[in-house]
Protein backbone atom coordinates (compact mmCIF):
# COMPACT_ATOMS: atom_id res chain seq x y z
CA UNK A 1 0.00 0.00 0.00
CA UNK A 2 2.78 2.30 0.96
CA UNK A 3 4.63 1.39 -2.23
CA UNK A 4 1.58 2.26 -4.29
CA UNK A 5 1.22 5.65 -2.65
CA UNK A 6 4.90 6.41 -3.19
CA UNK A 7 4.66 5.51 -6.87
CA UNK A 8 1.63 7.76 -7.31
CA UNK A 9 3.49 10.62 -5.62
CA UNK A 10 6.47 10.21 -7.93
CA UNK A 11 4.26 10.18 -11.02
CA UNK A 12 2.43 13.27 -9.83
CA UNK A 13 5.74 15.06 -9.28
CA UNK A 14 6.90 14.15 -12.78
CA UNK A 15 3.64 15.46 -14.28
CA UNK A 16 3.96 18.74 -12.38
CA UNK A 17 7.59 19.09 -13.47
CA UNK A 18 6.73 18.55 -17.15
CA UNK A 19 3.88 21.05 -16.96
CA UNK A 20 6.21 23.69 -15.53
CA UNK A 21 8.75 23.18 -18.31
CA UNK A 22 6.07 23.49 -20.97
CA UNK A 23 4.87 26.77 -19.45
CA UNK A 24 8.35 28.22 -19.43
CA UNK A 25 8.90 27.18 -23.09
CA UNK A 26 5.62 28.80 -24.07
CA UNK A 27 6.62 32.03 -22.32
CA UNK A 28 10.03 32.04 -24.03
CA UNK A 29 8.48 31.56 -27.52
CA UNK A 30 6.26 34.64 -27.19
CA UNK A 31 9.19 37.14 -27.13
CA UNK A 32 10.17 36.86 -30.82
CA UNK A 33 6.56 37.09 -31.78
CA UNK A 34 6.04 40.13 -29.66
CA UNK A 35 9.27 41.71 -30.88
CA UNK A 36 8.19 41.08 -34.42
CA UNK A 37 4.80 42.58 -33.75
CA UNK A 38 6.39 45.62 -32.12
CA UNK A 39 8.89 46.08 -34.98
CA UNK A 40 6.28 45.74 -37.72
CA UNK A 41 4.16 48.67 -36.62
CA UNK A 42 7.34 50.76 -36.34
CA UNK A 43 8.25 49.87 -39.91
CA UNK A 44 4.79 50.72 -41.14
CA UNK A 45 4.91 54.08 -39.38
CA UNK A 46 8.28 54.87 -41.10
CA UNK A 47 6.81 54.08 -44.52
CA UNK A 48 3.80 56.24 -43.79
CA UNK A 49 6.15 59.04 -42.76
CA UNK A 50 8.12 58.78 -46.06
CA UNK A 51 4.92 58.75 -48.09
CA UNK A 52 3.58 61.71 -46.14
CA UNK A 53 6.86 63.63 -46.64
CA UNK A 54 6.80 62.94 -50.37
CA UNK A 55 3.22 64.15 -50.59
CA UNK A 56 4.12 67.25 -48.61
CA UNK A 57 7.02 68.02 -50.97
CA UNK A 58 4.75 67.55 -54.00
CA UNK A 59 2.10 69.72 -52.41
CA UNK A 60 4.66 72.44 -51.62
CA UNK A 61 6.01 72.34 -55.14
CA UNK A 62 2.52 72.59 -56.58
CA UNK A 63 1.66 75.51 -54.33
CA UNK A 64 4.88 77.45 -55.07
CA UNK A 65 4.17 80.35 -57.55
CA UNK A 66 7.56 80.02 -59.26
CA UNK A 67 7.02 76.33 -59.77
CA UNK A 68 3.59 76.97 -61.17
CA UNK A 69 4.92 79.60 -63.59
CA UNK A 70 7.72 77.31 -64.65
CA UNK A 71 5.24 74.57 -65.28
CA UNK A 72 3.03 76.90 -67.30
CA UNK A 73 6.02 78.15 -69.24
CA UNK A 74 7.15 74.63 -69.99
CA UNK A 75 3.64 73.71 -71.06
CA UNK A 76 3.38 76.83 -73.22
CA UNK A 77 6.76 76.10 -74.75
CA UNK A 78 5.71 72.56 -75.44
CA UNK A 79 2.49 73.71 -77.08
CA UNK A 80 4.39 76.28 -79.14
CA UNK A 81 6.87 73.67 -80.25
CA UNK A 82 4.04 71.33 -81.12
CA UNK A 83 2.26 74.08 -83.06
CA UNK A 84 5.46 74.97 -84.97
CA UNK A 85 6.08 71.33 -85.78
CA UNK A 86 2.49 70.78 -86.87
CA UNK A 87 2.48 73.84 -89.19
CA UNK A 88 5.82 74.05 -91.06
CA UNK A 89 4.37 76.45 -93.63
CA UNK A 90 3.59 78.97 -90.91
CA UNK A 91 7.03 78.48 -89.43
CA UNK A 92 8.55 79.02 -92.85
CA UNK A 93 6.58 82.21 -93.31
CA UNK A 94 7.81 83.50 -89.97
CA UNK A 95 11.40 82.68 -90.92
CA UNK A 96 11.04 84.39 -94.27
CA UNK A 97 9.58 87.47 -92.62
CA UNK A 98 12.56 87.72 -90.30
CA UNK A 99 14.97 87.18 -93.16
CA UNK A 100 13.19 89.77 -95.27
CA UNK A 101 13.34 92.27 -92.41
CA UNK A 102 17.04 91.63 -91.95
CA UNK A 103 17.65 91.99 -95.68
CA UNK A 104 15.67 95.20 -95.80
CA UNK A 105 17.69 96.61 -92.91
CA UNK A 106 20.94 95.62 -94.58
CA UNK A 107 19.79 97.20 -97.84
CA UNK A 108 18.91 100.42 -96.05
CA UNK A 109 22.34 100.57 -94.44
CA UNK A 110 24.07 99.91 -97.74
CA UNK A 111 22.04 102.58 -99.51
CA UNK A 112 22.87 105.06 -96.76
CA UNK A 113 26.56 104.28 -97.19
CA UNK A 114 26.50 104.99 -100.93
CA UNK A 115 25.95 108.71 -101.55
CA UNK A 116 25.76 108.16 -105.31
CA UNK A 117 22.42 106.34 -105.01
CA UNK A 118 19.10 108.14 -104.71
CA UNK A 119 16.21 107.06 -102.55
CA UNK A 120 14.76 105.27 -105.58
CA UNK A 121 17.97 103.31 -106.06
CA UNK A 122 19.06 105.08 -109.26
CA UNK A 123 22.75 105.96 -109.38
CA UNK A 124 23.69 109.63 -109.31
CA UNK A 125 25.77 111.17 -112.07
CA UNK A 126 27.28 114.52 -111.13
CA UNK A 127 27.74 117.21 -113.77
CA UNK A 128 29.72 120.44 -114.01
CA UNK A 129 30.24 122.68 -117.01
CA UNK A 130 33.53 123.87 -115.49
CA UNK A 131 36.24 122.08 -117.47
CA UNK A 132 39.21 123.17 -115.40
CA UNK A 133 41.56 121.77 -112.78
CA UNK A 134 39.34 123.27 -110.09
CA UNK A 135 36.19 121.92 -111.71
CA UNK A 136 37.72 118.44 -111.84
CA UNK A 137 38.53 118.51 -108.13
CA UNK A 138 35.06 119.84 -107.31
CA UNK A 139 33.29 117.02 -109.10
CA UNK A 140 35.58 114.51 -107.43
CA UNK A 141 34.62 115.99 -104.06
CA UNK A 142 30.93 115.65 -104.95
CA UNK A 143 31.34 111.86 -105.07
CA UNK A 144 32.20 111.78 -101.35
CA UNK A 145 34.86 109.12 -101.94
CA UNK A 146 38.26 108.88 -100.28
CA UNK A 147 40.83 106.22 -101.22
CA UNK A 148 42.01 104.00 -98.40
CA UNK A 149 45.19 102.72 -100.01
CA UNK A 150 47.54 103.15 -102.93
CA UNK A 151 45.58 104.75 -105.75
CA UNK A 152 45.85 104.22 -109.49
CA UNK A 153 44.69 107.01 -111.80
CA UNK A 154 43.94 105.39 -115.16
CA UNK A 155 44.24 107.77 -118.09
CA UNK A 156 45.16 107.48 -121.75
CA UNK A 157 48.63 108.84 -122.40
CA UNK A 158 47.54 109.59 -125.98
CA UNK A 159 49.08 108.54 -129.27
CA UNK A 160 51.51 111.08 -130.80
CA UNK A 161 51.63 113.44 -132.46
CA UNK A 162 48.28 115.20 -132.09
CA UNK A 163 45.71 113.21 -130.09
CA UNK A 164 43.21 114.82 -127.73
CA UNK A 165 44.38 113.21 -124.45
CA UNK A 166 43.60 114.98 -121.17
CA UNK A 167 46.36 117.49 -120.55
CA UNK A 168 48.55 117.27 -117.41
CA UNK A 169 47.64 120.80 -116.33
CA UNK A 170 43.98 119.76 -116.23
CA UNK A 171 44.43 116.60 -114.15
CA UNK A 172 47.43 117.46 -111.95
CA UNK A 173 45.52 118.81 -108.93
CA UNK A 174 43.21 115.80 -108.81
CA UNK A 175 46.07 113.31 -109.16
CA UNK A 176 47.91 114.97 -106.29
CA UNK A 177 44.76 115.20 -104.16
CA UNK A 178 44.40 111.40 -104.18
CA UNK A 179 48.20 110.91 -104.05
CA UNK A 180 47.77 108.88 -107.21
CA UNK A 181 50.04 107.01 -109.57
CA UNK A 182 49.24 107.46 -113.26
CA UNK A 183 48.87 103.99 -114.80
CA UNK A 184 48.70 102.65 -118.35
CA UNK A 185 49.31 99.48 -120.38
CA UNK A 186 51.04 99.02 -123.71
CA UNK A 187 49.03 98.91 -126.92
CA UNK A 188 48.36 95.89 -129.15
CA UNK A 189 48.34 97.60 -132.55
CA UNK A 190 51.80 99.06 -133.03
CA UNK A 191 52.33 102.80 -132.86
CA UNK A 192 54.46 104.73 -130.38
CA UNK A 193 53.15 103.00 -127.22
CA UNK A 194 53.47 99.31 -128.07
CA UNK A 195 56.74 98.83 -126.17
CA UNK A 196 57.57 99.93 -122.64
CA UNK A 197 60.55 102.09 -123.62
CA UNK A 198 58.61 103.94 -126.31
CA UNK A 199 55.55 104.29 -124.11
CA UNK A 200 57.56 105.77 -121.25
CA UNK A 201 58.99 108.30 -123.65
CA UNK A 202 55.50 109.31 -124.77
CA UNK A 203 54.39 109.70 -121.14
CA UNK A 204 57.37 111.96 -120.53
CA UNK A 205 56.86 113.94 -123.74
CA UNK A 206 53.20 114.51 -122.90
CA UNK A 207 54.09 115.80 -119.43
CA UNK A 208 52.65 113.04 -117.23
CA UNK A 209 55.89 111.95 -115.56
CA UNK A 210 56.39 115.54 -114.38
CA UNK A 211 53.23 115.57 -112.26
CA UNK A 212 53.15 112.07 -110.72
CA UNK A 213 54.70 108.62 -110.63
CA UNK A 214 54.01 106.70 -113.82
CA UNK A 215 53.49 102.92 -113.97
CA UNK A 216 53.26 100.74 -117.07
CA UNK A 217 51.28 97.95 -115.47
CA UNK A 218 52.17 95.22 -118.00
CA UNK A 219 55.85 96.11 -118.20
CA UNK A 220 56.75 93.07 -116.08
CA UNK A 221 54.01 90.69 -117.15
CA UNK A 222 50.31 90.09 -116.79
CA UNK A 223 47.80 88.28 -114.59
CA UNK A 224 44.39 86.76 -115.19
CA UNK A 225 41.29 87.57 -113.16
CA UNK A 226 38.03 85.62 -113.54
CA UNK A 227 34.82 86.80 -115.17
CA UNK A 228 31.51 85.38 -113.96
CA UNK A 229 28.17 85.68 -115.71
CA UNK A 230 29.61 86.57 -119.10
CA UNK A 231 28.79 85.04 -122.47
CA UNK A 232 32.03 86.09 -124.22
CA UNK A 233 34.77 86.06 -121.59
CA UNK A 234 35.63 83.81 -118.67
CA UNK A 235 38.68 85.83 -117.64
CA UNK A 236 40.40 89.16 -118.13
CA UNK A 237 44.12 89.66 -118.70
CA UNK A 238 45.58 92.75 -117.04
CA UNK A 239 49.02 94.15 -116.34
CA UNK A 240 50.59 92.43 -113.34
CA UNK A 241 51.09 95.74 -111.53
CA UNK A 242 47.31 96.16 -111.33
CA UNK A 243 47.51 93.97 -108.24
CA UNK A 244 49.40 96.75 -106.45
CA UNK A 245 46.48 99.19 -106.37
CA UNK A 246 43.49 98.70 -104.06
CA UNK A 247 41.83 101.97 -105.18
CA UNK A 248 41.16 103.33 -108.65
CA UNK A 249 40.22 106.63 -110.29
CA UNK A 250 39.12 105.94 -113.87
CA UNK A 251 39.75 109.32 -115.49
CA UNK A 252 38.57 109.22 -119.09
CA UNK A 253 38.35 111.55 -122.04
CA UNK A 254 34.90 110.98 -123.55
CA UNK A 255 34.94 111.07 -127.38
CA UNK A 256 34.18 108.96 -130.44
CA UNK A 257 35.96 105.72 -131.29
CA UNK A 258 36.65 104.10 -134.65
CA UNK A 259 35.75 100.59 -133.44
CA UNK A 260 33.50 100.99 -130.37
CA UNK A 261 31.59 104.05 -131.59
CA UNK A 262 32.50 105.99 -128.46
CA UNK A 263 35.07 105.79 -125.71
CA UNK A 264 34.35 106.62 -122.08
CA UNK A 265 34.72 104.91 -118.71
CA UNK A 266 33.98 101.40 -119.98
CA UNK A 267 36.43 101.67 -122.87
CA UNK A 268 39.15 103.15 -120.62
CA UNK A 269 38.92 100.11 -118.34
CA UNK A 270 38.01 97.40 -120.84
CA UNK A 271 40.90 98.09 -123.21
CA UNK A 272 43.09 100.47 -121.21
CA UNK A 273 43.70 98.19 -118.19
CA UNK A 274 44.08 95.07 -120.35
CA UNK A 275 47.63 94.06 -121.16
CA UNK A 276 48.66 93.84 -124.82
CA UNK A 277 47.46 90.24 -125.10
CA UNK A 278 44.44 91.11 -122.96
CA UNK A 279 43.47 93.79 -125.48
CA UNK A 280 43.49 91.20 -128.28
CA UNK A 281 41.47 88.87 -126.07
CA UNK A 282 38.74 91.51 -125.61
CA UNK A 283 38.74 92.66 -129.24
CA UNK A 284 38.41 89.04 -130.41
CA UNK A 285 35.59 88.40 -127.91
CA UNK A 286 37.65 85.82 -126.06
CA UNK A 287 38.83 83.78 -129.04
CA UNK A 288 42.57 84.59 -129.08
CA UNK A 289 45.33 86.49 -127.28
CA UNK A 290 47.58 87.38 -130.20
CA UNK A 291 47.26 88.61 -133.75
CA UNK A 292 44.83 91.13 -135.19
CA UNK A 293 42.47 93.18 -133.05
CA UNK A 294 39.89 93.24 -135.85
CA UNK A 295 36.62 91.36 -135.32
CA UNK A 296 33.89 90.81 -137.89
CA UNK A 297 31.29 90.27 -135.14
CA UNK A 298 30.79 93.82 -133.89
CA UNK A 299 28.28 93.04 -131.14
CA UNK A 300 30.43 90.20 -129.80
CA UNK A 301 33.42 92.43 -129.14
CA UNK A 302 31.28 95.17 -127.62
CA UNK A 303 29.83 92.57 -125.24
CA UNK A 304 33.33 91.39 -124.37
CA UNK A 305 34.26 95.00 -123.63
CA UNK A 306 31.49 95.24 -121.03
CA UNK A 307 32.34 91.84 -119.56
CA UNK A 308 35.98 92.80 -119.08
CA UNK A 309 34.90 95.75 -116.93
CA UNK A 310 32.65 93.45 -114.90
CA UNK A 311 35.61 91.17 -114.18
CA UNK A 312 37.71 94.16 -113.14
CA UNK A 313 34.95 95.60 -110.93
CA UNK A 314 34.30 92.26 -109.24
CA UNK A 315 37.98 91.69 -108.49
CA UNK A 316 38.80 95.17 -107.20
CA UNK A 317 35.43 95.83 -105.54
CA UNK A 318 32.92 98.45 -106.64
CA UNK A 319 33.48 100.65 -103.57
CA UNK A 320 37.14 101.02 -104.53
CA UNK A 321 36.51 102.56 -107.96
CA UNK A 322 35.20 105.93 -109.14
CA UNK A 323 34.68 107.07 -112.72
CA UNK A 324 35.12 110.57 -114.17
CA UNK A 325 34.52 111.52 -117.82
CA UNK A 326 35.73 114.80 -119.32
CA UNK A 327 33.64 115.85 -122.33
CA UNK A 328 35.97 118.19 -124.20
CA UNK A 329 37.60 118.01 -127.63
CA UNK A 330 34.73 115.77 -128.76
CA UNK A 331 36.24 114.28 -131.90
CA UNK A 332 34.77 111.26 -133.64
CA UNK A 333 38.18 109.62 -133.11
CA UNK A 334 39.76 108.40 -129.90
CA UNK A 335 43.05 109.26 -128.22
CA UNK A 336 44.67 106.13 -129.69
CA UNK A 337 44.57 107.98 -133.02
CA UNK A 338 47.59 110.24 -133.43
CA UNK A 339 45.84 112.29 -136.10
CA UNK A 340 42.18 112.48 -135.10
CA UNK A 341 39.47 114.40 -136.91
CA UNK A 342 39.06 117.91 -135.60
CA UNK A 343 36.04 118.19 -133.28
CA UNK A 344 33.03 119.88 -134.86
CA UNK A 345 30.91 120.21 -131.72
CA UNK A 346 31.24 122.26 -128.54
CA UNK A 347 32.71 121.09 -125.23
CA UNK A 348 30.09 120.01 -122.68
CA UNK A 349 31.57 119.50 -119.21
CA UNK A 350 32.79 116.96 -116.64
CA UNK A 351 30.67 114.10 -115.30
CA UNK A 352 31.37 111.65 -112.48
CA UNK A 353 29.72 108.62 -110.89
CA UNK A 354 30.32 105.38 -109.02
CA UNK A 355 28.44 103.59 -111.83
CA UNK A 356 30.31 103.37 -115.17
CA UNK A 357 27.19 102.43 -117.13
CA UNK A 358 25.17 105.36 -115.80
CA UNK A 359 28.11 107.68 -116.45
CA UNK A 360 28.63 106.67 -120.08
CA UNK A 361 24.86 106.72 -120.69
CA UNK A 362 24.61 110.26 -119.31
CA UNK A 363 27.41 111.36 -121.62
CA UNK A 364 25.67 109.79 -124.61
CA UNK A 365 22.43 111.52 -123.68
CA UNK A 366 24.18 114.90 -123.56
CA UNK A 367 25.73 114.24 -126.97
CA UNK A 368 22.32 113.45 -128.44
CA UNK A 369 20.85 116.60 -126.88
CA UNK A 370 23.53 118.82 -128.42
CA UNK A 371 22.58 120.57 -131.67
CA UNK A 372 26.05 120.24 -133.21
CA UNK A 373 26.67 116.54 -132.52
CA UNK A 374 25.66 115.01 -135.86
CA UNK A 375 29.15 113.69 -136.68
CA UNK A 376 29.64 112.03 -133.30
CA UNK A 377 26.11 110.60 -133.28
CA UNK A 378 26.74 109.07 -136.70
CA UNK A 379 29.98 107.50 -135.47
CA UNK A 380 28.24 106.02 -132.41
CA UNK A 381 25.28 104.64 -134.33
CA UNK A 382 27.32 103.26 -137.24
CA UNK A 383 29.27 101.10 -134.76
CA UNK A 384 26.19 100.16 -132.72
CA UNK A 385 27.96 101.74 -129.76
CA UNK A 386 24.88 101.69 -127.53
CA UNK A 387 25.09 97.89 -127.42
CA UNK A 388 28.02 98.07 -125.01
CA UNK A 389 25.76 99.74 -122.45
CA UNK A 390 22.84 97.44 -123.23
CA UNK A 391 24.95 94.38 -122.48
CA UNK A 392 26.64 96.02 -119.50
CA UNK A 393 23.27 96.64 -117.87
CA UNK A 394 22.08 93.14 -118.75
CA UNK A 395 25.01 91.48 -116.94
CA UNK A 396 24.72 93.73 -113.89
CA UNK A 397 27.65 96.09 -114.40
CA UNK A 398 25.44 99.11 -113.81
CA UNK A 399 22.27 100.98 -114.69
CA UNK A 400 21.34 103.03 -117.73
CA UNK A 401 18.83 104.89 -115.57
CA UNK A 402 20.34 107.63 -113.42
CA UNK A 403 19.78 110.98 -111.75
CA UNK A 404 21.83 113.87 -113.13
CA UNK A 405 22.92 116.34 -110.44
CA UNK A 406 24.36 119.67 -111.57
CA UNK A 407 26.89 120.77 -108.95
CA UNK A 408 27.14 124.25 -110.51
CA UNK A 409 23.64 125.17 -109.32
Amino acid sequence: MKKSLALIAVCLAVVLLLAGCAGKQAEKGSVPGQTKDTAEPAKIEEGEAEETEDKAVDAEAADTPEAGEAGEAEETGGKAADAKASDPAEAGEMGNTAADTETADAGTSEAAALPEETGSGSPVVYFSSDISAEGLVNIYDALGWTPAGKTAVKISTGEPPASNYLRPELIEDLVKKVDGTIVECNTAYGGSRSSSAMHRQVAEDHGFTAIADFDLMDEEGEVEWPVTGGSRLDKIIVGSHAQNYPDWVILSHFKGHAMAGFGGAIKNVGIGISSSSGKVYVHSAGTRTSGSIMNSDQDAWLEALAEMVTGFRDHVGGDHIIYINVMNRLSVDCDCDGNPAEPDMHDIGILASRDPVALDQACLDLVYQAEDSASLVERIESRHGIHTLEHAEEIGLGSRSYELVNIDE
Side-chain angles (χ1 to χ4, degrees), residues 254-320:
F254 188 91
K255 67 285 175 187
H257 191 276
M259 298 180 72
F262 72 92
I266 291 177
K267 166 67 169 51
N268 193 15
V269 174
I271 295 299
I273 294 177
S274 295
S275 64
S276 292
S277 61
K279 287 175 170 63
V280 176
Y281 187 65
V282 174
H283 274 289
S284 67
T287 62
R288 60 183 180 273
T289 57
S290 62
S292 173
I293 62 172
M294 303 305 293
N295 192 332
S296 60
D297 189 340
Q298 178 68 4
D299 281 359
W301 108 260
L302 295 178
E303 290 168 5
L305 184 62
E307 291 177 14
M308 187 282 173
V309 184
T310 301
F312 170 77
R313 187 273 316 270
D314 290 348
H315 186 88
V316 173
D319 289 341
H320 293 274

Side-chain angles (χ1 to χ4, degrees), residues 6 25 48 52 77 79 171 207 229 242 278 329 332 336 345 351 389:
Q25 183 66 36
E48 289 175 353
T52 302
K79 289 180 179 179
I171 71 171
R329 299 288 297 167
V332 297
C336 54
M345 67 175 293
L351 292 85
L389 301 185

